[in-house]
Amino acid sequence: MAKVTFKGNPITLLGNEVKVGDQAPNFTVLANDLSPVTLENSEGTTRIISVVPSLDTGVCDQQTRRFNEEAAHLEGVTILTISVDLPFAQKRWCGAAGIDKVQTLSDHRDLSFGEAYGVVIKELRLLARAVFVIDKNNKITYVEYVSEATNHPNYDAAIEAAKKA
């Protein structure tokens, strides 16, 4: 499993670590209107899945805003931000932040995504910061488990991987 810390302290990640070349595991999360969303809902596009512990924190806020800005320049790419924030909180946050190109999704109910991608923080019941790029054929082409959960991911590498996918 990926070695990850939170504020310098080691944390335990639960679930299955994924690697480049793997078939992307399916999952079920909730949209802001409580409807279920699976990987198949975005089939036929390249996906950037941006995983954040909580939208109400500084780095997570900045990460989601950055991918929202980048979305304007990425044709044929769907960007999903997944956290365990409640769907109602995600909807409120998106409205206040002007987020309109990234779809925020909640894994609070079952941790389906978190377990499938190995990002559940056992000690906090949050998701670890990570970025995954999945191509149109559901192959994982880029994986970053951010080693310190309070750090930013490598945006440029993820965006470049999405452009190549």
Side-chain angles (χ1 to χ4, degrees):
M1 287 297 290
K3 301 277 189 228
V4 175
T5 58
F6 186 83
K7 296 183 178 179
N9 299 308
I11 55 174
T12 307
L13 296 183
L14 302 176
N16 302 308
E17 183 177 4
V18 298
K19 296 178 175 37
V20 170
D22 288 353
Q23 189 70 22
N26 202 10
F27 54 84
T28 302
V29 291
L30 297 176
N32 294 169
D33 64 1
L34 301 178
S35 63
V37 175
T38 66
L39 185 64
E40 286 111 17
N41 288 101
S42 57
E43 243 176 21
T45 66
T46 295
R47 275 92 12 126
I48 295 175
I49 300 179
S50 170
V51 187
V52 299
S54 176
L55 291 169
D56 284 322
T57 62
V59 176
C60 300
D61 176 290
Q62 292 170 26
Q63 180 174 331
T64 306
R65 289 175 190 267
R66 171 75 186 266
F67 280 120
N68 191 65
E69 291 169 12
E70 295 291 345
H73 312 292
L74 295 170
E75 201 168 309
V77 176
T78 300
I79 302 177
L80 310 173
T81 293
I82 301 178
S83 72
V84 293
D85 294 309
L86 293 174
F88 315 111
Q90 290 180 340
K91 184 176 182 177
R92 175 193 47 77
W93 182 87
C94 286
I99 301 300
D100 58 355
K101 295 173 185 62
V102 168
Q103 182 180 13
T104 56
L105 300 166
S106 176
D107 200 20
H108 87 95
R109 186 175 64 188
D110 301 323
L111 296 175
S112 170
F113 174 84
E115 290 177 358
Y117 287 74
V119 292
V120 176
I121 301 173
K122 177 181 177 182
E123 295 83 355
L124 301 172
R125 200 179 187 281
L126 295 173
L127 302 181
R129 188 173 317 284
V131 179
F132 305 96
V133 176
I134 301 169
D135 72 11
K136 295 174 185 171
N137 299 313
N138 290 335
K139 286 279 187 200
I140 297 174
T141 63
Y142 177 84
V143 172
E144 180 185 9
Y145 291 92
V146 180
S147 61
E148 166 54 50
T150 60
N151 290 345
H152 288 270
N154 185 336
Y155 300 108
D156 293 337
I159 291 160
E160 193 57 37
K163 288 177 180 177
K164 290 179 180 175

